[in-house]
């Protein structure tokens, strides 16, 4: 079975002006020059996408958006469509991040629509799933993951699921400094993969890439990546510093 290509993505969340984003990319691209064997993705805020695209020109680093609406155009004030993201050169789009589930009340039904729209317009979604602390304490981690994966991926074609990226992000580990242990990260990723195999088939499950997210930093990335089911990371806070993020990418290569 061919090993999946690792994928390390920076989720800047609501950080960086256009000037700061340009400065970051200029430094970062020098730091990762010549790196191979790992796919690198940057997800700046919408406002910095065109500038980051420009600065990434000539590199293999991919561009992602942090969210999108599910209709291609129309009367949706304030929304950004998949067509607009394609127009800006995005290859990836983060969908269903826990911060959007929490603060913007995104439901699994909406997330499912967004996933379908992303695939329909040639974008690869990075779908975020993960349990909250109270779920974990109540022994409901797998039940929550199963509910999210079933609902979010409902009705997707096998070929689309095979190229999907899923980020397992336990909510209690996001921005808290508390990383899941490599074993916990692997358990979550393994459970998700087994569920995809059950709902589609083994080849599809082996092809989809599963990242871990939640307080990833240079110090813990190697141990996380050593786990069989962890194919990469979705990095928040530590991705805001180009040197730290480049170091994470370097150590992820194994
Ligand atoms: P932190 O790396 O800041 O914990 O954030 C993780 C995350 O939410 C990435 O999407």
């Amino acid at each position: 079975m061919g090993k999946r290509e690792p994928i390390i993505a920076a989720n800047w969340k609501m950080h960086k002006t256009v000037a700061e984003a340009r400065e970051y990319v200029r430094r970062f691209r020098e730091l990762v020059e010549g790196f191979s064997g790992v796919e690198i993705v940057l997800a700046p805020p919408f406002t910095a996408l065109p500038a980051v695209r420009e600065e990434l020109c000539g590199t293999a680093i991919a561009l992602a958006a942090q969210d999108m609406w599910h209709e291609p155009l129309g009367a949706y004030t304030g929304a950004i469509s998949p067509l607009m993201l394609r127009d800006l050169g995005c290859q990836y789009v983060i969908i269903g991040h826990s911060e959007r589930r929490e603060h913007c009340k995104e439901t699994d039904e909406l997330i499912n629509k967004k996933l379908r729209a992303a695939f329909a317009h040639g974008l690869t979604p990075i779908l975020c799933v993960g349990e909250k602390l109270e779920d974990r304490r109540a022994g409901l981690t797998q039940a929550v993951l199963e509910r999210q994966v079933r609902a979010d991926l409902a009705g997707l074609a096998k070929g689309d699921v095979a190229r999907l990226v899923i980020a397992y992000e336990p909510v209690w580990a996001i921005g808290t400094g508390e990383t899941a242990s490599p074993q916990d990260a692997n358990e979550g990723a393994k459970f998700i993969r087994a569920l995809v195999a059950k709902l589609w088939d083994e080849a599809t499950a082996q092809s989809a890439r599963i990242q871990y997210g939640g307080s990833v930093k240079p110090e813990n990335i190697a141990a996380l990546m050593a786990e069989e089911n962890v194919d990469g990371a979705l990095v928040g806070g530590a991705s805001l510093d180009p040197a730290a993020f480049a170091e994470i990418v370097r150590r992820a290569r194994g």
Side-chain angles (χ1 to χ4, degrees):
M1 172 177 72
K3 186 65 183 153
R4 299 165 289 272
E5 186 184 25
I7 177 167
I8 306 289
N11 175 10
W12 289 358
K13 307 189 180 180
M14 198 171 71
H15 292 278
K16 298 195 189 293
T17 61
V18 171
E20 289 165 347
R22 280 194 191 278
E23 179 57 26
Y24 178 109
V25 180
R26 283 178 197 154
R27 285 192 57 203
F28 180 71
R29 57 177 287 175
E30 278 177 17
L31 293 166
V32 298
E33 198 174 341
F35 281 19
S36 61
V38 55
E39 189 173 0
I40 309 172
V41 182
L42 295 184
F46 290 127
T47 45
L49 282 169
V52 170
R53 181 199 195 181
E54 232 175 80
E55 298 294 339
L56 286 178
C57 192
T59 74
I61 301 167
L63 189 63
Q66 297 176 16
D67 178 48
M68 63 169 211
W69 192 238
H70 56 82
E71 296 289 350
L73 76 179
Y76 301 99
T77 302
I80 306 282
S81 86
L83 281 180
M84 295 167 181
L85 296 182
R86 281 301 302 267
D87 192 36
L88 291 180
C90 289
Q91 290 166 249
Y92 290 94
V93 56
I94 298 171
I95 303 274
H97 193 281
S98 61
E99 287 149 13
R100 296 203 60 86
R101 293 180 191 254
E102 170 80 16
H103 305 304
C104 307
K105 307 291 171 239
E106 291 204 3
T107 62
D108 288 309
E109 192 188 356
L110 178 66
I111 290 163
N112 178 251
K113 285 186 184 157
K114 290 185 176 190
L115 284 177
R116 289 166 185 256
F119 282 122
H121 292 279
L123 290 159
T124 299
I126 299 177
L127 167 68
C128 301
V129 296
E131 81 285 1
K132 295 182 189 165
L133 186 57
E134 64 256 36
D135 303 324
R136 173 159 285 249
R137 287 197 173 134
L140 294 173
T141 298
Q142 294 192 346
V144 169
L145 292 178
E146 174 150 7
R147 195 188 63 225
Q148 290 177 338
V149 169
R150 278 183 182 271
D152 297 346
L153 303 189
L156 290 188
K158 196 159 83 172
D160 287 341
V161 177
R163 61 192 184 91
L164 182 64
V165 180
I166 301 177
Y168 169 49
E169 299 206 314
V171 179
W172 50 270
I174 295 178
T176 58
E178 191 160 337
T179 322
S181 70
Q183 295 71 30
D184 283 342
N186 190 55
E187 277 305 303
K190 187 174 167 187
F191 177 78
I192 292 166
R193 199 179 306 285
L195 182 58
V196 170
K198 190 165 104 182
L199 297 173
W200 281 271
D201 56 35
E202 189 59 32
T204 304
Q206 288 302 331
S207 163
R209 289 180 293 176
I210 304 183
Q211 298 174 312
Y212 165 78
S215 300
V216 172
K217 30 188 183 264
E219 297 73 38
N220 58 27
I221 184 68
L224 289 161
M225 293 300 293
E227 294 293 332
E228 184 182 347
N229 285 284
V230 177
D231 304 318
L234 184 56
V235 187
S239 78
L240 294 174
D241 172 46
F245 188 55
E247 189 58 19
I248 289 172
V249 174
R250 192 179 69 80
R251 294 190 190 183
R253 294 182 306 156

